[in-house]
Amino acid sequence: MLDHVHGSSRLVGSTPALLELDGLSWGPRASKPILQPVTVRVEPAELLAIVGPNGAGKSSLLRCLYRYHRPTGGTVRLDGTDIWRMKPRDCARRIATVLQEPASDFGLTVAEIVELGLIPHATRVGTAADYYLDVEAALSLLGLTRLAARDFGSLSGGEKQRTMIARAVVQRPDLLILDEPTNHLDIRHQLEVLELLRNLGCTVVVSLHDLALASAYADRVLVMDGGRAVACGRPADILTPERIRENFAVGATLDDHPVTGRPRFSFHLER
Ligand code: ADP
Ligand code: MG
């Protein structure tokens, strides 16, 4: 079980960011637009889930949010400032990412990888011992304490993913961006990671394949399809059978989960 359930407050202390996407568009070339203009305001401490079929543009959108892709149109603003007008280091301090494919072998231990999350704060006042307490707290939050000294390359996919999440958490970001962070996780860790994200206190933008997870944990859901943001709103208003059929090309049945009372999704192919 992840320790955040028992309330580790050591890593709390971010100033959740207001994130504004204003007519944001992107493509590798002017002649190849991929992301159609999208305008969304993500409130401080909100958890926004991005869902959509393969190739919908979820990763492209996220790459614009962490200053990897420079928009071909529109802006991304963090607390009112265009991220391309911020110093890269200021961005790195405030925005943490968990990307889809962590490098398979850094030649570092799990604890050392997590420690990398502290680099953007290298000028912060504090002792090495103090920093290590942060690393320990993050390891504990993600259930990795026992793996701290293990070579990162020897971990399972899910353990690697949790290590990269711990690295992002130790950074105490104001905005946390995650691209399909639950991919390799078993069911318990999927639920625990989403629960952790919801309780971090920072603004979170996360792409998810699992509509039930998005529905259960997100404040709002943004649906992408064909490079367009086709809908954005509260899960109950957005994740309807009609929309799922239209954007995911499957039939969907929703009923109330007998234990949690939350919407339960079942899918089938329609001919
Ligand atoms: P998703 O994450 O929703 O699966 P992506 O954002 O990865 O979708 O991709 C959206 C579309 O843009 C896909 O068709 C993909 O092949 C294309 N694409 C993404 N990045 C590039 C790029 N750098 N150059 C050309 N095409 C790209
Ligand atoms: Mg993707």
Side-chain angles (χ1 to χ4, degrees):
M1 190 163 54
L2 304 192
D3 278 350
H4 68 273
V5 177
H6 304 300
S8 166
S9 56
R10 186 172 172 90
L11 293 168
V12 175
S14 68
T15 313
L18 165 67
L19 175 69
E20 294 164 291
L21 288 55
D22 195 355
L24 167 68
S25 58
W26 177 81
R29 292 182 302 280
S31 60
K32 194 176 183 340
I34 286 191
L35 206 60
Q36 305 299 327
V38 45
T39 298
V40 178
R41 179 186 159 102
V42 190
E43 299 297 331
E46 190 176 15
L47 195 162
L48 178 76
I50 303 185
V51 303
N54 293 142
K58 304 179 294 297
S59 297
S60 302
L61 174 63
L62 294 177
R63 287 185 195 117
C64 292
L65 306 188
Y66 55 81
R67 211 176 183 277
Y68 178 83
H69 284 332
R70 192 191 269 270
T72 46
T75 54
V76 177
R77 291 198 304 274
L78 201 64
D79 290 328
T81 305
D82 184 335
I83 58 172
W84 285 93
R85 290 177 165 270
M86 291 169 66
K87 291 192 190 122
R89 194 184 185 88
D90 290 338
C91 261
R93 267 192 202 128
R94 301 203 61 200
I95 306 175
T97 57
V98 177
L99 305 182
Q100 245 169 327
E101 270 141 37
S104 59
D105 194 355
F106 292 103
L108 296 176
T109 66
V110 170
E112 286 166 342
I113 299 267
V114 174
E115 224 177 312
L116 294 177
L118 294 171
I119 288 178
H121 298 291
T123 54
R124 199 175 75 191
V125 183
T127 63
D130 206 31
Y131 285 170
Y132 200 75
L133 287 178
D134 282 358
V135 172
E136 279 186 339
L139 287 168
S140 160
L141 268 178
L142 274 303
L144 294 165
T145 305
R146 159 185 85 71
L147 298 174
R150 272 273 291 283
D151 181 34
F152 180 75
S154 73
L155 301 182
S156 75
E159 291 163 348
K160 278 184 183 153
Q161 215 144 13
R162 274 151 54 214
T163 304
M164 300 320 280
I165 296 168
R167 188 190 69 156
V169 166
V170 87
Q171 199 182 321
R172 285 180 232 230
D174 300 334
L175 170 64
L176 177 54
I177 295 167
L178 309 96
D179 199 354
E180 294 179 21
T182 54
N183 267 2
H184 298 285
L185 301 182
D186 62 38
I187 298 162
R188 177 156 193 121
H189 282 115
Q190 289 184 19
L191 297 175
E192 289 185 330
V193 162
L194 264 298
E195 186 93 24
L196 169 67
L197 295 181
R198 195 162 65 177
N199 292 323
L200 272 182
C202 62
T203 309
V204 178
V205 181
V206 53
S207 69
L208 292 170
H209 269 301
D210 187 328
L211 301 184
L213 279 183
S215 163
Y217 289 100
D219 296 305
R220 279 186 305 156
V221 178
L222 173 71
V223 183
M224 303 280 306
D225 193 9
R228 289 171 200 281
V230 294
C232 186
R234 289 183 311 144
D237 298 331
I238 297 296
L239 297 175
T240 59
E242 295 73 27
R243 179 161 302 288
I244 293 169
R245 179 179 301 110
E246 185 175 330
N247 299 119
F248 292 85
V250 293
T253 312
L254 266 80
D255 57 8
D256 292 335
H257 190 287
V259 177
T260 63
R262 292 195 290 239
R264 176 171 62 180
F265 296 77
S266 339
F267 305 106
H268 61 276
L269 286 174
E270 293 175 328
R271 309 240 168 245

